[in-house]
Amino acid sequence: MRIIVRHGELMRCSKCESDNPSGKRFCGDCGAPLTSRCPKCGAENPGKRFCGDCGTAVAADNLSAASAGSLSAPDRAIVVEQTTAPLVTGERKTVTALFADIKGSMELMQDLDPEEARTIVDPALKLMIDAVHHYGGYVVQSTGDGIFALFGAPLAHEDHPQRALYAALRLQEGMRRYTAELREAGKLPVETRVGVNTGEVVVRSIETEDGHAEYSSIVHSTSLAARMQALAPTGSIAVTDATRKLCEGYITFKSLGATVVKGVAKPVSAYEATGLGPLRTRLQRAAVRGFTKFVGRQHAMEAMKHAAEQAHSGRGQIVAVMAEPGVGKSRLFFEFKATVRSVWMVLEAFPVSHGKASAYLPVIDLLHRYLEITTEDDGRKRRVKVAGKVLMLDRTLENTLQYLFSLLDIADTPDALAQMDSEVKRRRTLEAIKRMLLRESLDQPLMLIFEDLHWIDSETRGLLNLLADAIANARILLMVNYRPEYNHEWGNRTYYTQLTLEPLAHEDADEMLSTLLGNATELHPLKRSIIERTEGNPLFIEELVQVLFDDGTLVRNGTIKVARALSQVRLPPTAQAVLAERIDRLPTQQKELLQMLAVAGRQFSLGLIRRIVPFSDDQLDLMLAELQLAEFIYEQPAFPYLEYSFKHVLTQEVAYSSVLTERCKQVHELVARAIEDLFAPTIADHYGALVPHYGRSGNGLKAVKYLYLQAEQAMNRSAYAEARDQLTSALGILRMQPDKVECNRVEIAVRHKLAICMRIATRAGFAASAPVEILERARELCEKINDHPKLVEVLEALAIQYGTRSEHQKARALREELLAIAVRLGNPETIGRAQFWLGHSSMFAGNFSAAEEEFKCAETISTNSAIRVATFGDWQSETQGLASLTSWCLGFPDRAAAKSAQSFIGAQASTSAGLAWTLYWSGVLRVMFRDWPTAHSHADQAIKLAEEHGLGYMLPWSAFLRGWARVHLGQTADGLSEMLESRRDMEISGAIIQPWFF
């Protein structure tokens, strides 16, 4: 088992100035020892990874190249580039070993021609090797059907167990896709097993005659990894308990039981790594230099610990942390989680600065993590995951599935909740999430973390309010943080704790500076100046110290010293100014990259960045490493794409503000297109990101497109306020666009959707003039560009608006125009719908003979037409119900009763709204017959249907009818009260009760 190190770069001898192959220890011309020179300042650094003068990575190029690797013949060792870590004979290291092989490869190769077998096996081997390199691992050996890799050697990584399992997950995911491709091509599939173990090994390097170094591990820890591979079920990842303990929280596991391993006295516990755990934020991945010492927060940590103890015992708690930017809200949560993560299930939500316009954005992100939904999952797979998780949790939660499916945009049939009253649907959706979380807390204590509440949308705020009322007797710790401008109403609860983080006290700031600079006496005056200037803000302190190193005020040569008089030291006045200076000092290409990253967002995946930057992969990897070393960004190993985030939002803001406007527009366009390309199968998850990118790129029509889709998404989630704001923003952008047919067509669609949204979102939706004005403008545009199909929709919506307000002349004129267009289009369904609405107008105007004829025409067409769901029911079901009333008004009670009975047959195949309206109109007919018990029964059934399915607009009408029946059944006071209350509700909505049937 070995790694062969190839030498590519040249090393110059400091004595004779001759060039030598990289990796040599002595000069080939004069015999002098060779040392590594710093690429930045030129200082010699024998055997070191970082320059002792300026802190620059001495061999970053080699480190970057190390991940590239190359695939050699299957039975040869894998060749990788020289690493920055020195190869020391007999070195003791803690590493994670990974073995992977193709199950049944011998049988596969036996049955196939050797060349054909290689065409199947080689791509699989390459997938394995690429997955290892992706997370910084080293392939020690490649056999004909598998690999052996190390993480943590020869180059040390503090998180090598997590990297190994991230690589294993990526490997198996890639193999699943590859297997699917083989099956589609009619070839035999291949499946892999992966085994992983973490332990201490002794490694050695032996230099051979040809100048290479062979890297070997000596201990049985690697054998345990191989044993895990043999135990792993096909297509899975088996790990030892040692690895599981180190990755708990980052990865989810299930037990495979204990197994006897030759040479090990006790049975070894094995586990299957099944997916990502909850811990993967920027603070969970330390930067290369690690975190600054955590100081000055003992009181806050004790308060949080006490709250956690209370919550763990079943007395739920809320902890709210308020602080200015840079004071350490997120760091506090990170440090606290590290003390308790093995005891709690941790679920986190992270709002983004543009998130107020995206309903449920952080909640959906939290649910995706909880339900283990990935970007690669299609709708069917997502439904299976949601249903499986919920039903395994508790089968009584089955009735929450339709609300979760709707919220996550994964309903497999036309949304059954589409006609539900928006407020009812919203309330039930939030209730479904609450019930699921409360039930989870019965199995294990649950820590819910919502950061940056100053950026949350109203629906997420609604969930938090609901949880705040519900967790008093649950094993739930709700932790939130926000800036001082945010307000909530939880402070009066006995289980609420408010923590206000102030800047560090002088002694705490001094302790922090001591960890950064040391305790040399000559540094004391500078420390005092830093504390005074920063006022104890930890972020400001860190950035200011970095500036002082960058500009040469501070130098590191074994110890840290001040290189100039304090009177010559200029301290920037604000954290923003500090960051601006640091960014300006970056090399040109690094600065350009950082600015592009700032435009991309606070967090971004490596896959996305590769698509927008003008650099090669090797250049990008090197510059990202340098930006991490400078602590501008953090790396977050994640699956399936490596992710990065800015150290702090201020860093991103300062970098973004330095980009010229035109360049900023270009990068926003590049980012938006990359998102469309990278996440095409799950693009609906990214509307919230696409809107600001296209909006700031100057691509107005694309911004409007995604605002429209985002609004549709919000309306499906009953977030009508957000949808209204999004559509209004879209209209604002459209006003700035040229007067072209394409823009007019888009504006019509936006106006039509906005009118419907406003009518539903506003209690006085029918009385409001805004929807009418919006639709009238849409009507003008339809006529201008001769878009008759869209004109049909606009005219219908206008007619409903006027008709419900009893402006029947206007409504009838619109419906006559609707019929004329429908006849020209030759669409039977549209003709039937137009005839129904004409009958509706005639009936409510008292022209019952005309109404009967018009309903008869509509009824004839409806028997040959698929059900068409309209805004408040479906016209086929309502046609017979309203026709029965016209027959009664014309003096034909028997005909009316027959039509009413017939209407129930069609309603059984209709929607819940169609059945509810059928019951309502039948109840009205029974009032005419003075059949009060039946009228009461039908009205009561309609109310129950409306309440069950959230059909709020039906409730006042049905309640009025039921109250009327109650009066005649002897419940005079209660009946009158119900009638008066329902009439007030109707008047508020703008609807007018028709006087003809009183």
Side-chain angles (χ1 to χ4, degrees):
M1 296 178 290
R2 64 182 185 171
I3 218 169
I4 297 179
V5 183
R6 176 190 292 161
H7 305 281
E9 302 278 337
L10 296 177
M11 299 179 67
R12 177 153 294 182
C13 175
S14 58
K15 183 177 180 181
C16 69
E17 298 296 320
S18 63
D19 290 330
N20 291 267
S22 177
K24 294 295 184 181
R25 297 178 181 175
F26 300 92
C27 176
D29 290 336
C30 69
L34 296 175
T35 59
S36 299
R37 285 183 178 273
C38 174
K40 185 174 182 180
C41 68
E44 293 186 356
N45 293 270
K48 301 298 183 183
R49 294 176 57 199
F50 297 93
C51 177
D53 290 343
C54 68
T56 299
V58 172
D61 287 318
N62 294 334
L63 173 62
S64 171
S67 65
S70 62
L71 179 62
S72 62
D75 295 318
R76 297 178 185 172
I78 296 300
V79 180
V80 299
E81 299 292 340
Q82 169 79 15
T83 73
T84 57
L87 299 178
V88 182
T89 301
E91 188 176 7
R92 186 183 296 272
K93 283 179 176 285
T94 298
V95 302
T96 300
L98 180 150
F99 279 83
D101 78 339
I102 297 172
K103 174 70 173 174
S105 60
M106 295 303 295
E107 294 84 352
L108 176 69
M109 293 182 182
Q110 180 178 347
D111 296 337
L112 295 175
D113 178 81
E115 289 189 15
E116 185 179 357
R118 296 292 358 147
T119 63
I120 295 175
V121 173
D122 284 354
L125 285 173
K126 187 175 188 306
L127 281 172
M128 297 178 188
I129 293 167
D130 288 347
V132 169
H133 287 161
H134 188 81
Y135 289 101
Y138 290 85
V139 178
V140 178
Q141 187 176 35
S142 170
T143 63
D145 62 352
I147 61 169
F148 163 43
L150 290 179
F151 292 80
L155 183 66
H157 291 293
E158 63 181 26
D159 57 348
H160 55 84
Q162 294 98 299
R163 288 173 180 259
L165 291 188
Y166 285 137
L169 287 168
R170 184 182 180 90
L171 184 158
Q172 291 290 23
E173 182 64 27
M175 289 301 300
R176 280 190 281 271
R177 289 195 296 268
Y178 179 52
T179 297
E181 293 171 4
L182 289 175
R183 286 197 175 99
E184 289 178 5
K187 296 182 179 180
L188 292 174
V190 294
E191 294 179 305
T192 56
R193 303 172 300 177
V194 180
V196 180
N197 178 50
T198 302
E200 192 176 66
V201 300
V202 175
V203 293
R204 62 180 182 178
S205 62
I206 305 172
E207 190 162 324
T208 60
E209 292 180 359
D210 59 359
H212 290 116
E214 296 183 356
Y215 194 75
S216 306
S217 63
I218 310 171
V219 84
H220 76 282
S221 291
T222 53
S223 301
L224 274 180
R227 180 60 178 159
M228 290 299 104
Q229 174 202 274
L231 287 173
T234 302
S236 71
I237 304 157
V239 308
T240 60
D241 193 46
T243 303
R244 180 193 65 82
K245 288 178 179 177
L246 293 168
C247 296
E248 193 171 27
Y250 294 88
I251 304 293
T252 56
F253 301 93
K254 70 177 182 181
S255 176
L256 295 176
T259 184
V260 176
V261 177
K262 185 177 180 180
V264 180
K266 296 181 180 180
V268 175
S269 296
Y271 297 84
E272 181 181 349
T274 57
L276 289 178
L279 302 183
R280 48 190 292 265
T281 69
R282 68 178 179 86
L283 285 170
Q284 294 156 0
R285 300 285 90 207
V288 174
R289 295 181 184 176
F291 288 123
T292 306
K293 185 177 180 181
F294 186 63
V295 298
R297 304 303 185 203
Q298 291 79 10
H299 171 71
M301 290 287 283
E302 287 299 320
M304 293 167 71
K305 181 180 178 182
H306 176 71
E309 291 170 352
Q310 294 288 309
H312 192 276
S313 65
R315 296 187 292 274
Q317 300 289 309
I318 304 171
V319 175
V321 176
M322 181 178 70
E324 295 285 355
V327 175
K329 302 183 293 293
S330 296
R331 177 69 185 277
L332 176 66
F333 280 6
F334 172 78
E335 295 292 340
F336 178 70
K337 282 184 298 181
T339 66
V340 298
R341 71 185 183 203
S342 62
V343 182
W344 295 75
M345 170 181 275
V346 180
L347 297 178
E348 298 178 87
F350 302 97
V352 292
S353 57
H354 58 77
K356 287 188 178 181
S358 302
Y360 293 106
L361 186 63
V363 176
I364 290 169
D365 182 55
L366 180 146
L367 290 176
H368 279 172
R369 295 175 191 276
Y370 173 63
L371 299 167
E372 300 177 9
I373 292 173
T374 69
T375 55
E376 285 72 33
D377 294 338
D378 58 19
R380 186 197 63 79
K381 191 170 184 179
R382 293 182 183 209
R383 287 191 297 275
V384 170
K385 285 186 174 182
V386 175
K389 181 80 170 182
V390 171
L391 296 180
M392 285 292 290
L393 185 62
D394 194 328
R395 294 203 68 88
T396 63
L397 294 173
E398 185 173 3
N399 59 356
T400 66
L401 288 177
Q402 60 179 330
Y403 299 99
L404 295 174
F405 287 169
S406 180
L407 174 63
L408 298 174
D409 287 329
I410 55 174
D412 57 344
T413 57
D415 195 346
L417 309 179
Q419 295 189 54
M420 181 173 286
D421 177 79
S422 61
E423 186 54 36
V424 173
K425 182 180 175 183
R426 174 183 180 274
R427 185 172 66 248
R428 292 183 183 178
T429 299
L430 296 178
E431 185 71 20
I433 300 170
K434 182 197 80 174
R435 287 176 58 198
M436 182 173 63
L437 295 176
L438 288 175
R439 179 61 185 82
E440 183 66 61
S441 73
L442 295 178
D443 293 342
Q444 58 186 322
L446 190 59
M447 185 183 298
L448 298 175
I449 299 176
F450 285 77
E451 297 213 40
D452 298 322
L453 295 194
H454 44 277
W455 287 332
I456 63 169
D457 61 281
S458 60
E459 307 307 323
T460 302
R461 184 167 185 156
L463 176 63
L464 288 174
N465 289 336
L466 186 64
L467 289 173
D469 291 333
I471 66 172
N473 297 309
R475 293 199 300 168
I476 294 180
L477 176 61
L478 175 59
M479 298 169 57
V480 300
N481 65 40
Y482 48 84
R483 296 177 185 174
E485 62 266 25
Y486 180 80
N487 294 304
H488 57 72
E489 299 175 354
W490 313 326
N492 60 350
R493 286 154 176 83
T494 57
Y495 46 91
Y496 172 83
T497 301
Q498 172 76 59
L499 299 175
T500 301
L501 289 191
E502 300 292 347
L504 296 175
H506 190 284
E507 57 272 20
D508 294 323
D510 185 70
E511 183 181 356
M512 178 180 175
L513 283 168
S514 294
T515 65
L516 291 170
L517 304 177
N519 291 305
T521 304
E522 67 171 299
L523 294 170
H524 290 174
L526 180 61
K527 288 183 182 179
R528 284 195 298 271
S529 297
I530 292 173
I531 294 171
E532 290 171 4
R533 178 54 55 86
T534 62
E535 297 180 342
N537 184 297
L539 174 68
F540 196 175
I541 291 173
E542 287 182 344
E543 297 299 332
L544 190 52
V545 167
Q546 190 62 49
V547 164
L548 295 176
F549 276 112
D550 290 345
D551 68 9
T553 298
L554 293 172
V555 293
R556 185 185 282 111
N557 186 14
T559 60
I560 296 173
K561 296 181 179 180
V562 180
R564 64 182 65 165
L566 189 61
S567 59
Q568 298 177 332
V569 177
R570 187 186 65 83
L571 300 180
T574 64
Q576 288 87 343
V578 171
L579 287 165
E581 284 197 17
R582 291 194 58 213
I583 291 169
D584 285 343
R585 288 196 180 98
L586 288 172
T588 302
Q589 287 190 330
Q590 284 187 34
K591 181 178 179 181
E592 180 184 357
L593 174 60
L594 189 68
Q595 290 173 330
M596 295 184 77
L597 299 181
V599 175
R602 176 82 182 277
Q603 293 178 302
F604 41 88
S605 71
L606 180 59
L608 177 70
I609 297 306
R610 289 202 192 282
R611 284 169 166 79
I612 68 170
V613 297
F615 310 118
S616 69
D617 288 354
D618 288 344
Q619 284 179 305
L620 177 61
D621 291 341
L622 174 59
M623 287 191 286
L624 287 173
E626 292 291 347
L627 291 176
Q628 287 184 80
L629 286 172
E631 295 194 7
F632 286 110
I633 60 174
Y634 287 139
E635 177 184 306
Q636 298 173 189
F639 176 79
Y641 302 108
L642 198 66
E643 293 180 354
Y644 293 87
S645 67
F646 278 89
K647 177 182 177 181
H648 196 277
V649 67
L650 285 180
T651 310
Q652 183 205 1
E653 290 174 356
V654 173
Y656 184 92
S657 65
S658 68
V659 186
L660 294 176
T661 301
E662 285 305 312
R663 177 58 178 159
C664 195
K665 288 181 178 180
Q666 293 169 1
V667 178
H668 275 300
E669 181 84 12
L670 288 172
V671 173
R673 290 180 180 178
I675 291 172
E676 290 175 322
D677 178 48
L678 190 61
F679 302 108
T682 56
I683 197 67
D685 295 343
H686 302 276
Y687 293 159
L690 287 165
V691 167
H693 282 305
Y694 273 126
R696 294 168 186 167
S697 74
N699 192 336
L701 281 182
K702 271 297 190 79
V704 169
K705 169 189 172 181
Y706 286 111
L707 277 167
Y708 182 88
L709 292 171
Q710 193 178 25
E712 277 192 329
Q713 193 178 64
M715 291 174 72
N716 290 337
R717 295 167 178 164
S718 295
Y720 287 95
E722 282 82 0
R724 180 194 59 211
D725 293 344
Q726 288 152 359
L727 292 166
T728 302
S729 297
L731 281 183
I733 295 173
L734 285 167
R735 292 189 188 99
M736 308 298 292
Q737 302 304 307
D739 186 12
K740 293 182 178 180
V741 172
E742 182 184 6
C743 296
N744 293 157
R745 205 179 302 281
V746 172
E747 184 174 347
I748 292 166
V750 171
R751 285 182 174 276
H752 181 232
K753 185 72 70 176
L754 178 57
I756 294 173
C757 179
M758 293 179 73
R759 185 168 65 211
I760 298 173
T762 309
R763 285 196 75 188
F766 290 110
S769 60
V772 173
E773 294 167 359
I774 290 168
L775 288 168
E776 288 288 8
R777 172 59 180 162
R779 178 187 179 185
E780 292 175 14
L781 291 171
C782 287
E783 293 169 347
K784 175 182 175 182
I785 65 173
N786 294 315
D787 189 342
H788 292 123
K790 197 65 184 178
L791 182 57
V792 167
E793 296 181 20
V794 172
L795 290 174
E796 183 178 10
L798 261 176
I800 292 173
Q801 196 77 23
Y802 284 126
T804 313
R805 292 161 49 168
S806 288
E807 297 184 46
H808 294 299
Q809 288 184 343
K810 290 182 179 179
R812 183 166 187 85
L814 290 168
R815 286 161 179 168
E816 287 174 346
E817 185 179 351
L818 174 63
L819 178 60
I821 295 172
V823 170
R824 287 202 302 273
L825 292 175
N827 186 326
E829 199 275 341
T830 307
I831 294 171
R833 197 160 86 247
Q835 290 284 9
F836 164 76
W837 285 119
L838 280 172
H840 192 278
S841 291
S842 297
M843 177 181 172
F844 284 94
N847 189 350
F848 300 116
S849 296
E852 186 176 47
E853 289 301 316
E854 287 154 347
F855 283 137
K856 187 180 296 183
C857 291
E859 195 174 340
T860 301
I861 295 173
S862 73
T863 58
N864 299 314
S865 173
I867 286 181
R868 149 77 182 203
V869 177
T871 310
F872 298 105
D874 63 79
W875 64 271
Q876 289 95 334
S877 296
E878 287 199 68
T879 295
Q880 290 180 323
L882 289 171
S884 70
L885 292 177
T886 60
S887 295
W888 184 90
C889 292
L890 290 169
F892 301 103
D894 292 340
R895 188 195 302 169
K899 286 184 178 292
S900 180
Q902 185 70 24
S903 69
F904 278 95
I905 298 175
Q908 297 305 318
S910 178
T911 62
S912 55
L915 180 57
W917 279 115
T918 299
L919 285 163
Y920 172 77
W921 292 123
S922 176
V924 172
L925 181 64
R926 291 300 152 183
V927 167
M928 306 305 178
F929 282 122
R930 300 302 188 258
D931 180 1
W932 302 111
T934 306
H936 181 277
S937 174
H938 286 185
D940 193 58
Q941 290 179 64
I943 288 172
K944 289 178 180 177
L945 267 175
E947 289 176 339
E948 180 183 352
H949 296 283
L951 309 174
Y953 51 84
M954 281 206 64
L955 288 172
W957 301 89
S958 302
F960 187 93
L961 187 62
R962 185 174 66 177
W964 193 354
R966 291 172 73 183
V967 169
H968 288 276
L969 290 172
Q971 303 172 31
T972 307
D974 290 341
L976 282 173
S977 175
E978 189 168 23
M979 292 175 75
L980 290 171
E981 183 178 351
S982 59
R983 177 155 187 156
R984 282 194 295 270
D985 289 342
M986 283 186 266
E987 288 172 347
I988 289 172
S989 74
I992 299 174
I993 294 183
Q994 311 302 324
W996 56 266
F997 61 79
F998 288 96

